[in-house]
Amino acid sequence: MKSEIEADIKFLKQMAEQGQKSPLRGGEHGVLWGGMFTLSALFAYGVVAELISLPSWTIALAFIGPAPIGVLAGQYLNKKYGGSSGGFSFGNKTSAAAWGAVGITIGALYIPVLAAQALGFLTLNGEYIFGSLQVTVFALYAVAYSTTAQVSGDPRQYLFSGAAIAASVASVFTIGTYDMFLVMAAGLFCSAVIPGYLTRSKQSVAA
């Protein structure tokens, strides 16, 4: 029994060391999704601030449109970089699991709200609902980055987590204002695009 416990501890230690030694990969997905929604947020600000002469319903399209594009482009990126060195390390697997959970949670939060708004079932102020969701999304980013930091040993992840927390707090103070979209754009750029660029995969093994 003692030998089994020691073997399990040794295995976990090896996995942790592997996670710390292998560089993080997959940041191109952060650049993709973060970049698209950064542009969506800037577009939304332009419309509500009347800098862009388009109807308000185009804002919904700006946020819904990137979803299918992101899915298709994400599949291409997975095929292109799926075999990158270190991509199957414990650290990268944990990071992928954390961000996968974040993506599912965001979808579970936004889809019902968007559907309710489209069907006219949304009785509360939409600006405050979406503002609250924005606060939650950046908080989820912070959790994912801090989890990745603890497993991978990459101290930069704590900085990315801090940027996400700052965006979440700033979102609280701008709920219901036009500036909410500017905070969203800045938050996504600092907590998704930049971190994604710094941890992007660099080796392609697919044709």
Side-chain angles (χ1 to χ4, degrees):
M1 184 67 179
K2 182 178 179 181
S3 60
E4 292 180 359
I5 295 176
E6 290 177 346
D8 290 340
I9 293 176
K10 182 179 180 180
F11 173 75
L12 292 173
K13 183 178 179 180
Q14 290 175 341
M15 293 295 286
E17 290 175 348
Q18 181 190 38
Q20 292 182 344
K21 291 178 181 178
S22 298
L24 292 173
R25 296 287 182 256
E28 57 273 4
H29 292 278
V31 175
L32 171 65
W33 289 96
M36 288 192 299
F37 284 109
T38 294
L39 293 177
S40 296
L42 291 174
F43 173 82
Y45 176 80
V47 172
V48 297
E50 299 182 349
L51 300 176
I52 301 175
S53 300
L54 287 173
S56 59
W57 58 263
T58 59
I59 295 177
L61 290 181
F63 284 99
I64 295 173
I69 297 174
V71 171
L72 294 175
Q75 291 178 347
Y76 167 77
L77 292 173
N78 285 335
K79 181 179 179 181
K80 183 176 182 181
Y81 296 111
S84 296
S85 176
F88 297 104
S89 70
F90 184 60
N92 278 291
K93 286 182 178 180
T94 302
S95 178
W99 284 105
V102 167
I104 292 173
T105 303
I106 290 174
L109 290 172
Y110 271 94
I111 291 175
V113 173
L114 289 171
Q117 185 180 46
L119 296 172
F121 296 152
L122 199 64
T123 57
L124 299 176
N125 188 308
E127 293 180 352
Y128 288 95
I129 291 177
F130 285 105
S132 298
L133 290 177
Q134 180 173 316
V135 172
T136 303
V137 166
F138 282 122
L140 290 172
Y141 276 29
V143 172
Y145 279 126
S146 62
T147 300
T148 302
Q150 293 177 48
V151 175
S152 67
D154 183 355
R156 297 178 302 175
Q157 300 296 313
Y158 288 114
L159 295 177
F160 305 155
S161 180
I165 291 174
S168 183
V169 173
S171 297
V172 172
F173 292 102
T174 55
I175 289 179
T177 70
Y178 296 163
D179 292 339
M180 179 179 74
F181 292 112
L182 291 180
V183 170
M184 181 189 296
L188 287 170
F189 188 78
C190 294
S191 64
V193 177
I194 293 177
Y197 179 79
L198 294 176
T199 57
R200 67 194 186 283
S201 302
K202 300 179 176 64
Q203 178 182 350
S204 173
V205 297

